[in-house]
């Protein structure tokens, strides 16, 4: 979800205001994904590298996540929110405890929901995710729970935050940059990419439709001819 800062600056607003606007877009687009019947969707909200940002921006983002999750709970009580399954993807280790608890509550409360799974990647990094998987596998081998020969690609997939979910068919990056920035690097081996200059707060349902229509015209061969 890129481009919040530039969206705000262009309007003479604080960057935090752009993140707020981006959160509204997240609400609209995640709801739309559920409406479309998309099985699984992941939103990249905060990377392991985003801690390098100024402290006030990091704090504003953490506060926004908290407010947003609290509000989502309220809405759910009033039955306004489409019931999708929320999953947290990321390293909880150096995150504010209060926020980790909120994510846990949201995961638990939505665990019985069928339909779309919405993964929210916070303090997420693809390399950190794979490193973490390698550590867990090494631990299992050390404990005699598995042998080196047992390790295959499915073993790695099963140790990622997205375990049990399909690899992404399509990855959309708004905000004008053409790079992956450590997002789902294992899972995206055969994903189709869609880059657009639209800044995330401006991203609409129509833009998602356009990306999906573009995706439908791709010829996916998965290495075959
Ligand atoms: C949102 O957009 C990404 C987050 C880390 C929340 P940016 O904050 O990267 O916006 P730009 O790229 O500065 O416009
Ligand atoms: Mg950016």
């Amino acid at each position: 979800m890129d481009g919040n800062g530039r969206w705000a600056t262009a309007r003479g607003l604080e960057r935090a205001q752009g993140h707020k606007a981006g959160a509204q877009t997240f609400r609209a687009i995640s709801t739309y994904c559920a409406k479309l019947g998309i099985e699984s969707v992941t939103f990249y909200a905060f990377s392991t590298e985003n801690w390098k940002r100024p402290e006030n921006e990091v704090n504003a983002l953490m506060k926004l996540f908290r407010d947003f999750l609290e509000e989502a709970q309220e809405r759910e009580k009033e039955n306004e929110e489409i019931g999708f399954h929320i999953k947290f993807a990321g390293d909880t280790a150096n995150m504010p405890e209060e926020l980790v608890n909120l994510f846990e509550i949201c995961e638990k409360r939505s665990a019985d929901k069928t339909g779309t799974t919405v993964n929210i990647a916070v303090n997420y990094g693809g390399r950190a995710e794979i490193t973490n998987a390698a550590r867990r596998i090494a631990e299992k081998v050390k404990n005699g729970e598995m042998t080196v020969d047992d390790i295959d690609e499915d073993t790695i997939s099963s140790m990622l935050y997205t375990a049990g979910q399909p690899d992404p068919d399509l990855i959309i990056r708004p905000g004008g940059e053409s790079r992956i920035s450590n997002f789902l690097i294992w899972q995206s081996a055969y994903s189709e990419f869609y880059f657009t200059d639209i800044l995330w707060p401006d991203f609409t349902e129509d833009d998602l439709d356009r990306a999906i229509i573009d995706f439908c015209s791709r010829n996916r061969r998965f290495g075959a001819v």
Side-chain angles (χ1 to χ4, degrees):
M1 299 186 278
D2 199 14
N4 295 346
R6 280 164 286 161
W7 182 92
T9 305
R11 284 164 180 72
L13 302 169
E14 297 284 327
R15 289 178 59 84
Q17 291 302 112
H19 295 313
K20 244 188 179 156
Q24 296 310 315
T25 305
F26 164 78
R27 175 168 287 137
I29 299 300
S30 54
T31 304
Y32 187 52
C33 287
K35 222 187 228 170
L36 291 177
I38 289 170
E39 183 177 343
S40 156
V41 57
T42 305
F43 292 86
Y44 203 177
F46 193 87
S47 77
T48 45
E49 288 71 35
N50 286 149
W51 296 106
K52 292 180 206 158
R53 294 187 176 206
E55 201 184 327
N56 67 343
E57 184 169 346
V58 170
N59 289 342
L61 279 164
M62 293 301 147
K63 183 177 177 327
L64 180 63
F65 294 144
R66 232 174 12 240
D67 292 350
F68 187 89
L69 291 174
E70 276 167 359
E71 199 189 318
Q73 279 186 309
E74 287 306 312
R75 281 171 181 245
E76 201 196 287
K77 278 185 208 146
E78 291 156 22
N79 261 333
E80 276 182 34
E81 202 95 312
I82 284 199
F84 41 63
H85 182 192
I86 293 175
K87 272 210 79 186
F88 171 83
D91 185 358
T92 51
N94 52 350
M95 269 175 40
E97 201 186 316
E98 204 189 337
L99 188 56
V100 176
N101 291 340
L102 260 176
F103 267 115
E104 264 173 28
I105 294 169
C106 281
E107 277 193 6
K108 275 201 193 115
R109 286 183 57 147
S110 67
D112 57 340
K113 298 275 163 62
T114 50
T116 302
T117 298
V118 175
N119 303 292
I120 307 176
V122 176
N123 197 20
Y124 173 88
R127 287 185 175 181
E129 181 181 39
I130 296 168
T131 306
N132 189 33
R135 286 215 183 107
R136 283 171 57 201
I137 293 167
E139 200 64 40
K140 279 184 188 290
V141 172
K142 196 172 94 182
N143 296 340
E145 288 169 53
M146 69 190 303
T147 69
V148 169
D149 288 335
D150 291 333
I151 303 168
D152 59 15
E153 294 185 5
D154 289 339
T155 315
I156 313 247
S157 295
S158 73
M159 300 275 177
L160 305 179
Y161 300 122
T162 51
Q165 297 182 54
D167 286 337
D169 288 312
L170 171 64
I171 294 189
I172 300 170
R173 178 161 189 162
E177 315 282 8
S178 307
R179 55 174 170 262
I180 186 150
S181 300
N182 208 8
F183 183 57
L184 301 181
I185 51 178
W186 173 274
Q187 298 89 330
S188 65
Y190 276 99
S191 300
E192 296 293 328
F193 286 84
Y194 183 87
F195 296 103
T196 166
D197 289 339
I198 296 164
L199 304 174
W200 176 249
D202 291 328
F203 196 91
T204 63
E205 294 182 1
D206 285 347
D207 293 315
L208 182 58
D209 284 345
R210 269 188 277 278
I212 294 172
I213 289 164
D214 187 88
F215 166 81
C216 290
S217 70
R218 313 266 178 107
N219 178 8
R220 304 180 82 196
R221 292 180 298 280
F222 298 96
V225 288

